[in-house]
Amino acid sequence: MSISLGLQGPCVIARLTGDFDFGSAAEVRDRVTKALDLTQPPLLVIDMQAVAVCDSSGLSVLVYLHKAVTASGGRLLLAGLNGRCKHLFAITALDKFFEIRSTAELAIAELGDPID
């Protein structure tokens, strides 16, 4: 798993590449949690376009990050779900729990817009 973190406007962007599974979940959780301090309230986009596999460990980290962000008054948007990941979110009904956008650019534009 490769994790690229950055700021774009008021948003923290986490771009994930590879398998989001038991072997990478703790690193993703720790690195993204630290990056949330960069913006207040935290505005987080997790770009999963290059994630091939996401297992229950990855889902658990996403739920944890969602709770951390919303508890601080922020928003988390997922972007770029495809293939098996998109199917996994549908069968677990997490597609109803998370705000999901088709691309990271759309998610960043939405969070960067001061008008809700």
Side-chain angles (χ1 to χ4, degrees):
M1 164 71 51
S2 168
I3 309 161
S4 171
L5 290 166
L7 278 174
Q8 187 165 340
C11 304
V12 173
I13 313 304
R15 296 185 192 276
L16 309 181
T17 303
D19 294 344
F20 191 9
D21 56 15
F22 180 77
S24 60
E27 180 183 4
V28 172
R29 182 193 65 230
D30 294 346
R31 290 189 58 198
V32 175
T33 299
K34 288 178 187 171
L36 293 179
D37 292 336
L38 297 174
T39 62
Q40 286 303 319
L43 301 173
L44 175 62
V45 173
I46 300 178
D47 183 357
M48 296 183 58
Q49 181 176 5
V51 172
V53 174
C54 182
D55 71 5
S56 61
S57 299
L59 294 179
S60 177
V61 168
L62 293 174
V63 170
Y64 168 86
L65 291 170
H66 183 274
K67 289 180 180 181
V69 167
T70 56
S72 298
R75 281 180 72 196
L76 179 152
L77 280 88
L78 299 179
L81 292 178
N82 55 50
R84 292 172 70 183
C85 291
K86 190 173 190 176
H87 178 70
L88 178 64
F89 275 74
I91 64 172
T92 58
L94 287 172
D95 58 345
K96 307 290 188 260
F97 177 76
F98 286 100
E99 294 184 79
I100 301 172
R101 302 298 179 262
S102 58
T103 68
E105 292 72 23
L106 286 172
I108 293 164
E110 182 176 330
L111 291 181
D113 187 354
I115 301 170
D116 283 326

